[in-house]
Amino acid sequence: MDVDLSAGLDGLLPLVAPLATGHSDIAIGSRLAPGARTVRGPRREFVSRCYNGIIRLTHGVRFTDARCGFKAARTEVLRPLLKVTRDDAWFFDTELLLLAEHNGLRVHEVPVDWVEDVDTRVDVVSTATDDLKGLWRMARLKASGAARVELPRRPAPAAEHPDAVLAPPTGRGVLSWEIGCFIAIGIASTIGQALLYWLLRGWWQPAAANLVSLLILTGLNTEAHRRLTFRQAGTRPARAHLGAGALFLLGYMVTSGAVLWFKHTDPGASAAAESAVLAAASVAVTAVRFAVLRLAVFRRKTTA
């Protein structure tokens, strides 16, 4: 914990309890989790939220506050992680958490009461620069496979009730979930792209408006599929977005071609009509996109 005791000590037992019971591997205090209460200036609040937002955007993590100086960990998982960590400055705790989540450890968050001590020695500019370099280094480490750490694995979930009736081991339920989520997210993405295109069409030409709307919705669509549709695959953000990016060109060519052809056929068509054509072309790409995402990008690892 921080030496100035900024975090209230009434959070100490909730921090340690999930580790003592074996429920979690690492526990962290959070100033941004629901229920947390903070007393700090707007500058520190803004910097903290921006930093944690960048981490979630670039690495797709689930924890909300990487920099809160109130953490605990089980020794058996901490020691292997420390052998891989390289930073010995302010990025150290962020690196540790990124490695922990990347290797499938369970991170427990505790909302804390936090009172800022304004007598700080932190240089915000240099620290922010080092943090960005650290995030880039961790992204390369994950992509190369060097971020994998040999850790003690907890047993797979099993029914504790002796008379529990379990579902048969079949992939039918998984496929139904994936198809359902894919359709729902696809409908939302198509509507969102059509609306965004309609808004941008007032300033830009059809190809440019379609490019920007497709680029934004592709990123949101991919992240939704990673977190919901194919969540069992455990695909990392870099692989997911790179794979989806390979499909981006196909979608852009098909949708742009459809809009330009329609515009050439009917030069006086309204932006709303162009949006409808764009939506129809997007639906045509959906089947191919689902197959490629499921079989290649978000392919689940099979165990022997």
Side-chain angles (χ1 to χ4, degrees):
M1 62 186 67
D2 283 333
V3 68
D4 60 6
L5 300 180
S6 295
L9 292 182
D10 58 353
L12 182 59
L13 288 181
L15 187 78
V16 177
L19 307 183
T21 61
H23 175 271
S24 301
D25 303 297
I26 294 179
I28 64 173
S30 174
R31 299 159 295 188
L32 302 178
R37 298 180 299 178
T38 61
V39 179
R40 58 178 174 176
R43 178 171 174 266
R44 290 286 295 272
E45 183 77 15
F46 176 77
V47 171
S48 176
R49 290 186 179 276
C50 287
Y51 178 63
N52 285 287
I54 292 174
I55 297 176
R56 290 194 296 272
L57 180 64
T58 57
H59 287 266
V61 298
R62 296 178 177 86
F63 53 83
T64 62
D65 192 354
R67 189 53 63 74
C68 180
F70 198 64
K71 295 181 173 68
R74 294 170 55 224
T75 305
E76 63 179 359
V77 300
L78 182 62
R79 283 176 174 167
L81 292 178
L82 291 178
K83 294 180 180 179
V84 181
T85 56
R86 294 292 177 263
D87 193 272
D88 58 0
W90 293 107
F91 188 71
F92 164 77
D93 50 355
T94 300
E95 180 176 4
L96 190 67
L97 289 178
L98 289 174
L99 285 171
E101 190 166 286
H102 181 69
N103 286 278
L105 295 182
R106 179 177 288 171
V107 179
H108 180 80
E109 278 197 333
V110 177
V112 297
D113 294 335
W114 180 274
V115 179
E116 176 188 7
D117 186 346
V118 295
D119 183 22
T120 179
R121 308 296 196 275
V122 179
D123 186 335
V124 176
V125 176
S126 62
T127 301
T129 302
D130 293 339
D131 287 340
L132 293 177
K133 291 179 180 179
L135 291 175
W136 171 246
R137 176 173 59 82
M138 288 303 300
R140 290 189 289 112
L141 201 68
K142 291 180 179 180
S144 66
R148 288 296 177 185
V149 181
E150 290 295 330
L151 294 167
R153 298 296 178 183
R154 61 177 65 247
E160 295 189 9
H161 196 285
D163 298 327
V165 180
L166 305 180
T170 175
R172 183 177 300 175
V174 175
L175 180 60
S176 300
W177 167 266
E178 291 176 347
I179 293 177
C181 282
F182 189 86
I183 292 175
I185 294 173
I187 291 174
S189 299
T190 301
I191 295 174
Q193 183 190 352
L195 290 175
L196 185 58
Y197 174 86
W198 179 69
L199 292 174
L200 296 177
R201 187 62 182 86
W203 296 282
W204 297 341
Q205 293 299 315
N210 181 46
L211 175 62
V212 174
S213 62
L214 185 61
L215 183 63
I216 294 175
L217 267 299
T218 296
L220 296 176
N221 179 282
T222 302
E223 192 61 22
H225 286 315
R226 189 182 73 85
R227 291 174 179 266
L228 293 175
T229 309
F230 305 105
R231 66 182 188 276
Q232 295 184 3
T235 305
R236 295 297 168 180
R239 174 183 172 85
H241 287 279
L242 285 175
L247 296 171
F248 175 82
L249 180 61
L250 173 63
Y252 179 66
M253 291 175 61
V254 172
T255 53
S256 292
V259 172
L260 293 175
W261 172 82
F262 179 73
K263 189 68 176 177
H264 176 75
T265 304
D266 187 2
S270 64
E274 293 178 14
S275 299
V277 172
L278 177 65
S282 298
V283 171
V285 180
T286 300
V288 175
R289 177 178 171 81
F290 176 79
V292 174
L293 288 177
R294 189 174 194 271
L295 299 177
V297 179
F298 295 103
R299 182 178 54 195
R300 289 187 297 274
K301 296 180 181 179
T302 57
T303 56

